[in-house]
Amino acid sequence: MKQPPPISSGLAMTLVLGVSSVLAGCAAPTHTASTTPLQAHALGLSDTPSPAVNNAWWRHWNDPQLDHLIAQTLQGSPSMAEAQARVQRMQALSGLADAASLPQATLGGEFSRQRYSANGLFPPPIAGRTWSNDTLQAGVGWNPDLWGQHRAELASAIGQVRAAQADAAAAANALVHQVVRGHVALARLLAQRDVAERVVQQRQQMQQLVQQRREAGLDTRIEQAQSDSTLADAAAQAEGLKEQITLTRHQLAVLSGQAPQALDAWSPRLDALRLEAMPATLGADLLGRRPDVVAARWRVEAAQQDIHVARTQFYPNVNLSAFAGFNALGMNHLLDSGSRQYSVVPAVRLPLFDGGRLRAQLSGREAERDSAVANYNNAVLNAVKEAADAIGSSLSVDRQWAAQSKALASAESAHALAQQRFQAGLGNRLAVLSAESAVLTQRRMAIDLQARQFDNRAQLMRALGGGWAGDAAAAPSTTVSAP
């Protein structure tokens, strides 16, 4: 009976791959995403592009002190150094993922000298003598990317790098936001301190007048006690503002990576700052300008690629390896033709029964993807809310400022009339000081509203991404299909 021809190793591997692919295709489960990314039209964003934001928007406030402090912060802050270290770590991991798809080559040598037992496994002339056992060998290995595993791993790693870069930009944006708000808060406190010191002086003058009136029999001890109380209260408020000024300076110094006392002479002026016109609408492109939103989108993309990696584990894994070199007992025979050795090893691995490990791994990746989408949706909602809140508050504060300006002007007018009456001998000094109290109260309110204008503008700039556009164009689509 005639025997069938032998099957070659290449044909055998092809048959194994074909059968394995069919089995793995049947074993790989499907998944329907339980969470989908939010779209811009569902958030009430218009198609009109949002206004461009300068990536150094604070420079338009015309405060060189603020420019210097922000530059110092971005250069010396420990949190920025930490963010950059995370970027470098993710870049290193992406390099590892890229290397996995390339052939690997090694070259090695092993040289040893050993005495072989006279009563062991090796016969004479090896037995009982000392020999050099030397090997010189070159090897290559390759894991072909038949199912896209390495491509998906590399895409996931790149997504994590982009996310880390966007996180670093978000950290810089948050730092600038904190410094600007701290700068405005310090300017507000300094302005309030000046008013408080004037209030203390005014209360001292009123106390002297009450003391004189009491000595003249025009006031009683009740008015004297009330005057003393208001003076003590004004002094306590002034001292409280000085404490807040000190703490704010310490906070700004630490934010910028300096010693707490480094900014003890830092004295910004609120009335020296200037504001630009404010945007009235938010466009859908807002979502691509926020580095935290873009980072969340890249993490969704990376999680999607991780799902693909988990699915490839159901398919055959092919490894190709080979080596060639020399091996001999004795250095003098190492390079002889008879010392040659070589091997070619194609290997195929297909998981058939793993107790559900691969399905559990895939389910875990799918859950991570759903979590990443949920985090993205949360970042989108927060971005839109923060921008809308900043615009709404800014518009309201502007209207409050207009009304407050009228109130301050009226109080100043009343104070001027009281001074005129006093100079004409128609009124007393106490009436002038009382009118000035109303002016100082209105100035306090005006300072607070002016500070809120700048504070809200800083929040709006942060909500609009702080002018960042480093990775917006390369960011993946927010529409992520189910695997």
Side-chain angles (χ1 to χ4, degrees), residues 137-150:
Q137 182 172 291
V140 294
W142 183 39
N143 180 210
D145 194 16
L146 299 178
W147 321 114
Q149 175 183 350
H150 298 323

Side-chain angles (χ1 to χ4, degrees), residues 189-199 241 269 440 447:
L189 290 170
L190 290 170
Q192 291 286 19
R193 182 200 61 186
D194 293 341
V195 174
E197 289 177 347
R198 176 54 194 157
V199 170
L241 287 169
R269 291 178 53 84
L440 294 175
I447 290 171

Side-chain angles (χ1 to χ4, degrees), residues 5 24 49-50 67 95 144 174 178 214 251 277 291 295 333 343 358 374 379 430 439:
S50 300
D67 298 343
Q178 287 180 290
R214 182 189 172 195
Q251 180 186 22
H333 297 295
S343 173
L358 293 180
L430 195 57
V439 173

Side-chain angles (χ1 to χ4, degrees), residues 299-312:
R299 288 194 170 91
V300 171
E301 175 67 16
Q304 185 68 43
Q305 297 298 331
D306 289 339
I307 290 177
H308 184 78
V309 172
R311 289 181 63 84
T312 61

Side-chain angles (χ1 to χ4, degrees), residues 105 127 157 193 246 264 326 338 437 464:
R193 182 200 61 186
T246 300
D264 283 352
F326 300 90
S437 295
L464 293 177

Side-chain angles (χ1 to χ4, degrees), residues 235-304:
Q237 291 185 24
E239 188 59 38
L241 287 169
K242 292 178 182 178
E243 178 195 8
Q244 294 180 50
I245 288 170
T246 300
L247 297 180
T248 304
R249 282 172 171 162
H250 290 174
Q251 180 186 22
L252 284 172
V254 172
L255 275 176
S256 58
Q258 303 180 72
Q261 293 78 22
L263 300 180
D264 283 352
W266 201 263
S267 300
R269 291 178 53 84
L270 196 60
D271 54 6
L273 301 178
R274 296 291 181 269
L275 279 182
E276 292 184 313
M278 186 189 62
T281 59
L282 297 178
D285 59 336
L286 165 67
L287 303 183
R289 298 185 183 186
R290 292 260 307 208
D292 56 337
V293 173
V294 173
R297 286 163 61 181
W298 276 116
R299 288 194 170 91
V300 171
E301 175 67 16
Q304 185 68 43

